Amino acid sequence: MRGIADLVRGKNIAVFSDEPYCHMVWTGQHHTLLSEPGMLDQVVACYTFSKSYSMSGWRLGYAVTSPPWAEVIGKMVNTALSCVPPLVQLAGQEALEHDAAERDEVMLRFKKKVELLVEDLRSVPGVQVLMPAGTFYVFPNVSAICRQLGIQSHGLAMYLLEGADDRRGVACLGGECFGPAGQGFLRFSCAEPDDRLHQAVAFLKEAVLRTERVQRYLEQHPKYRMA
C-alpha cells in the first residue's frame, strides 16, 4: 500500500479501492490505501454489507473519500438509482451500530470453513493449495491433474459440473476466469454447510479418476482440450 501511495501521490491519478473483504482477513490485518498519508483526495474506497454482514441480497454499500469526490458520487448515484430504500439504509445502520460481535463470530466460522476446505483439498493427489490470507474462497493449484487429463482448468471446472456424474455435480470456477495467470487453478467457495464441502472434495477426488468420462466430455467440448 505504501508503494502504491508513493507512486500515485500528487499525480493526476485516481484509485478505486475495492474493499469487500475488509473483515475476512485470516492472516495479519486489513490495510487500505486510504490509511496512507495524502490518499484521501485520490482514493475512493468502496465497502459492502454483503460479505461482512451477510446482507448480499440487500445490495447495500458505502464509499469513503474526500468531500468533493463524495459530492460527485452522490450526484451520480442520485441520477442512476435515486436512493437506497430507507428500509435498507436502516438495516445497514443497525448492522454498523450493533452487530460487530455477531459479525466477528460469523467471520470466525468462515475462517474455519476455509481451513476445513484447504485441509480436505490437500488430501487429493495432484492438488496443491495454500491457506488464503482472507476471503471465503480457496484457489487450489490443479495443474498436475489438468496435464494428466489433458484438460484446461476451466474445462475441469465445467466437467465437474456437467460431465463427471449423471445425477450431481460440483460448481466451481476455472482460474482462467480471472485472467491467463489463473490457468491451472480452480476457485471454490466456502459458503456452504461443512458436510457439503466434504462431499464436494470427495466428488473431486473420484471425478478426476473417471478418465473415460473426461475423454468423453472433451470429445463433446474440444475447446477445453489442453494445447
Side-chain angles (χ1 to χ4, degrees):
M1 293 296 106
R2 187 175 300 117
I4 295 174
D6 292 342
L7 184 66
V8 304
R9 186 182 292 108
K11 298 184 175 67
N12 189 26
I13 297 174
V15 180
F16 180 93
S17 183
D18 194 22
E19 310 275 9
Y21 301 107
C22 58
H23 293 111
M24 285 189 168
V25 180
W26 317 136
T27 302
Q29 293 182 327
H30 174 259
H31 296 280
T32 173
L33 193 59
L34 279 176
S35 65
E36 296 299 319
M39 285 294 97
L40 188 63
D41 292 331
Q42 291 181 248
V43 174
V44 177
C46 287
Y47 297 81
T48 177
F49 289 76
S50 296
K51 306 298 191 297
S52 300
Y53 297 98
S54 302
M55 294 172 64
S56 54
W58 297 72
R59 316 312 298 164
L60 180 65
Y62 58 94
V64 179
T65 187
S66 63
W69 286 116
E71 183 178 354
V72 172
I73 293 171
K75 291 178 180 178
M76 293 172 58
V77 172
N78 185 58
T79 302
L81 303 174
S82 182
C83 70
V84 176
L87 175 67
V88 176
Q89 295 186 50
L90 292 170
Q93 180 180 348
E94 286 292 309
L96 287 175
E97 293 180 349
H98 303 295
D99 289 345
E102 183 177 355
R103 176 201 67 205
D104 293 344
E105 180 185 341
V106 172
M107 295 303 102
L108 181 60
R109 292 206 296 266
F110 268 114
K111 180 184 180 182
K112 291 179 179 178
K113 285 178 175 295
V114 173
E115 292 172 339
L116 179 155
L117 186 54
V118 167
E119 183 178 355
D120 273 12
L121 284 168
R122 285 175 174 167
S123 71
V124 181
V127 171
Q128 295 179 322
V129 59
L130 299 174
M131 176 67 190
T135 85
F136 58 83
Y137 298 107
V138 176
F139 204 57
N141 184 334
V142 294
S143 56
I145 292 174
C146 290
R147 288 194 300 269
Q148 182 179 356
L149 298 176
I151 191 170
Q152 300 173 12
S153 50
H154 187 59
L156 179 60
M158 297 305 297
Y159 161 73
L160 292 173
L161 179 64
E162 300 176 331
D165 193 274
D166 294 332
R167 295 174 297 171
R168 59 192 182 124
V170 166
C172 60
L173 284 177
E176 294 93 331
C177 295
F178 306 96
Q183 185 172 359
F185 292 79
L186 297 176
R187 190 186 78 163
F188 290 96
S189 168
C190 296
E192 289 288 340
D194 291 356
D195 61 332
R196 290 179 68 83
L197 296 178
H198 286 304
Q199 291 170 16
V201 177
F203 183 87
L204 167 66
K205 188 181 295 188
E206 296 175 7
V208 297
L209 298 177
R210 300 172 183 173
T211 53
E212 292 184 1
R213 294 190 73 106
V214 174
Q215 294 308 311
R216 194 182 317 146
Y217 188 77
L218 286 173
E219 290 172 2
Q220 298 169 349
H221 305 277
K223 63 182 178 181
Y224 294 135
R225 285 190 183 278
M226 184 176 287

